[in-house]
Amino acid sequence: MSDQNKPSLLRQVAPAAILTAAGVAFVSMLDNPTGTNTVSLDTATGSDLSTTTATVAPTTVLPPETTLAASPTPTTVEEVVTTLAPMPTTTVVAPVPTEAPPVESTGACDGDIVTSPTALFRWGGIQLQVHFTRTNSICEVDVLEYPNDRSKSIAINERALPVYNSEAVTANGAQISAVSGATDSWEAYTAALQAVIDSRS
Amino acid sequence: MSRPITTSPVVAARPLLPPEASRVLDTDVGAVIGALTLVVVGLWARHGGVASLGGSTTDVFTSLASLTGLLASEAGILGLILVTRTPKLERRYGLDRLFNWHRLLGELMAIFIVAHIVTSVEAWADPTGVVSALKDLTGREPYMALTTVGTVMILVVTLTSLKYFRERLTYETWWFIHLLSYVGLALSFSHQIVLGTDFMNDAVARWFWVALHVGLAAWIAWGRWGTLVRSLAKPLRVESVRREASGVVSLTLSGPDLRRHRAASGQFYYLRELSPGRWWSNNPFSLSAEPSTAGLRFTIKDRGDASHAFTRIKEGTRVAIEGPYGVCTPDLVGDDKVLLVAGGVGIGPIVSFLEQLRPENQPVILYRAHAQAEVAHADEIERLAASRGGRLNILVGARTTLKVPDPFAADVLLKTIPDLAERVVIVAGPESMIKAVQRGARRAGVPAEQIHAERAWW
């Protein structure tokens, strides 16, 4: 501890300089989303939007869909599925059973069925299946995937997605308004929907 | 320095080499703390933490929950580094200061954890309400049931370390509760990775965070638990037990492995008696003689608790030692004149210190004891002091029976030691006495950096 052993200025400053530089370099390597939420489309699922032509006869599909619109709770979805079961073509039923059901139909879903790319955002991903009429308007939207690893995400999305589904049909496009508390999902939802619309224009 | 040679008759005993000096600087420690803080806060900011503060109420709470969680982790990481007993840190700052900082960081971590809990609940309460948020965060969210258990453990550890509870628990009970903090931290680690977005969505950050914790676990395993295992693997034996005064004995521990030890007077070891029912009890004792290959001597006063068992220890008993620790060693004094102040059992380190002093140091020893019967090593000190041109003053009696109200007041000290201001002051004893000596010596003109204290380690 004698004064002769007093460390040089370099020895005192160097560790701080090196560690600070390393810290700054590390932080700059990290992902830097520009806002609070960024949405990116997963090109792996979105490079070729799968389009199927619906074979469901419009008259047979319409009544159950109207039932769906009236009661959007998951239990009702199951009832509806049962109703649809005897019919050979049940493509309109969302593959994820807990999914928010399609809410409205303004016309017969006798056109294409397009699967969107997955819109990735900070809480997970949203993937849609969009049903069109023969005249190319959106008649139904199913959500194939939404963030479900946190119960908070499930609660938010189960509340908001049915609203977005019905808004999308009403607006016949991606210009829909956000549900409060579910803006992150709204951004991802509209991005996925817009991708589908863009792919068809 | 003549010492009885009690080990191998072939090889003469030699004093142990002093521990290597630490090259760690305050600026190094500052650099590590600063860089870790930079990375943690930078990570939060880069992931949109600052931008979120301008968002909705939920965004603000989500952002703050993330920041407080990260800062709690940082405090925990730094606090654990302090108890790895890394020799470089210990030699620089001393175990007592490291423990003290560990305690402060533990309290800081608890404060951040509470803030993290409050902000997380607020963030989760939108849109489903506080009750639902609490249910989510105590079980429904992934790994949150484990995290809840872990958090409760950490908060229990923090509470039992507060002075109020700490004083009401035995050292061993407190220590075993304290081990829960390892379990608690391990249980709550997974939620950091899975539930927040900082690590879930950024692979670079995730691997850094995992590597940091794995590295820390390895450091603790080697530094803390490795030390324990090594000490158990090569215990020393009690070579002699000597009664020094009423309730005071000195033990000498020896063994062939001592040759490889490095230690200096004024340091202390943790001793663990390896006998049924006693092996789990680990207690610090100061060296009371210059450490040599012939043995380590400890002077132990029966204070009723674990020290009682050590005063009854039998010759030949195996004792595991961890150490040496302590920074109050004779290299502090150089050629300066020295005042040594001992209180009660603090005489142990003072005797060992005295042994390594030279005539240039002209040591004056003040020895404070409550009763004549408790005075230990008096003849030994007298002899050592005389051979170094110094002298011993023994002050015996309860405080109320003394002629002066404060025996360590500046004027009292100066009357006994007129050249006090030129001396390096070394004090070992109870906390209250250390404070009194520090105050008196400062007022008598001794610069603060010339006063060194060693807490009485039993």
Side-chain angles (χ1 to χ4, degrees), chain A residues 182-201:
Chain A
T183 37
D184 290 354
S185 292
W186 173 80
E187 285 178 25
Y189 186 99
T190 51
L193 189 54
Q194 193 60 51
V196 170
I197 292 164
D198 292 348
S199 76
R200 296 170 60 81
S201 57

Side-chain angles (χ1 to χ4, degrees), chain B residues 25-163:
Chain B
L25 306 179
D26 293 352
T27 48
D28 300 346
V29 176
V32 169
I33 297 172
L36 190 58
T37 309
L38 173 79
V39 164
V40 160
V41 176
L43 185 147
W44 167 78
R46 183 114 180 133
H47 285 164
V50 178
S52 295
L53 292 180
S56 67
T57 316
T58 304
D59 281 343
V60 172
F61 279 119
T62 306
S63 170
L64 290 178
S66 161
L67 180 64
T68 49
L70 287 166
L71 290 174
S73 286
E74 184 191 348
I77 288 166
L78 292 174
L80 283 175
I81 288 175
L82 294 178
V83 290
T84 53
R85 307 229 178 144
T86 302
K88 282 188 185 336
L89 280 178
E90 204 285 323
R91 276 297 287 153
R92 176 72 184 83
Y93 296 107
L95 207 56
D96 53 346
R97 269 204 278 180
L98 294 184
F99 283 166
N100 216 3
W101 295 340
H102 171 79
R103 194 172 49 77
L104 292 175
L105 280 167
E107 287 169 8
L108 187 64
M109 179 177 77
I111 290 168
F112 280 131
I113 287 177
V114 170
H116 177 64
I117 292 171
V118 170
T119 49
S120 298
V121 169
E122 286 295 334
W124 246 257
D126 175 34
T128 48
V130 171
V131 174
S132 172
L134 286 172
K135 284 184 190 162
D136 283 347
L137 293 173
T138 54
R140 291 203 295 234
E141 294 292 13
Y143 295 106
M144 283 312 289
L146 285 180
T147 304
T148 306
V149 175
T151 307
V152 169
M153 286 180 176
I154 290 168
L155 293 180
V156 165
V157 168
T158 314
L159 277 181
T160 54
S161 295
L162 294 179
K163 207 173 171 194

Side-chain angles (χ1 to χ4, degrees), chain B residues 16-29:
Chain B
L16 297 185
L17 293 173
E20 279 179 84
S22 169
R23 291 171 187 280
V24 172
L25 306 179
D26 293 352
T27 48
D28 300 346
V29 176

